[in-house]
Amino acid sequence: MDEKLKIKLSIADRVYPLTVEMSQEEGLRSASKKIDQMIKQFEENYAVRDKQDVLAMCALQFASQLEQRQLDHSIDGKETIERLGKINDLLVKYLDK
């Protein structure tokens, strides 16, 4: 059983105290850094009115990346199934001889 850990993450100049599993700490800290880097990028490259706009843009960016990965994996899964089907057909033909 993982022990609980109290951490503080800073996102968009706000501190968020969290109680997390020890196994989650590294991932959460990494995500926090990536969000802050993305915020900085959006602020430098676009006319942004406030932090809420930037955070919405970050959320959209991360969500679209996740969706794209899921689409890519589903396509790979279909290709794999098709290839396995072809291999199976070849094996059946070979064994029937």
Side-chain angles (χ1 to χ4, degrees):
M1 183 170 78
D2 280 337
E3 214 174 295
K4 297 285 184 174
L5 185 65
K6 292 184 179 200
I7 63 173
K8 291 181 181 181
L9 295 179
S10 175
I11 301 172
D13 300 325
R14 283 186 130 168
V15 176
Y16 297 91
L18 300 170
T19 302
V20 301
E21 301 289 332
M22 288 181 77
S23 61
Q24 295 176 309
E25 180 188 12
E26 185 178 350
L28 288 167
R29 290 194 187 280
S30 176
S32 172
K33 284 181 184 178
K34 286 180 182 180
I35 292 168
D36 276 337
Q37 288 170 350
M38 193 176 290
I39 287 170
K40 185 178 177 184
Q41 227 177 4
F42 281 128
E43 287 177 336
E44 289 173 356
N45 295 322
Y46 301 100
V48 180
R49 291 186 212 135
D50 62 21
K51 289 286 186 197
Q52 185 173 345
D53 291 337
V54 176
L55 290 170
M57 292 165 69
C58 288
L60 179 62
Q61 180 89 10
F62 281 118
S64 67
Q65 289 171 358
L66 178 63
E67 288 297 319
Q68 189 60 51
R69 263 191 228 119
Q70 289 175 343
L71 288 171
D72 291 346
H73 287 314
S74 69
I75 291 169
D76 289 343
K78 289 177 187 175
E79 286 181 23
T80 301
I81 291 170
E82 288 174 11
R83 287 181 182 176
L84 287 172
K86 288 178 183 178
I87 291 171
N88 189 51
D89 291 344
L90 290 171
L91 287 171
V92 167
K93 286 180 186 176
Y94 178 78
L95 294 174
D96 285 341
K97 288 185 179 181

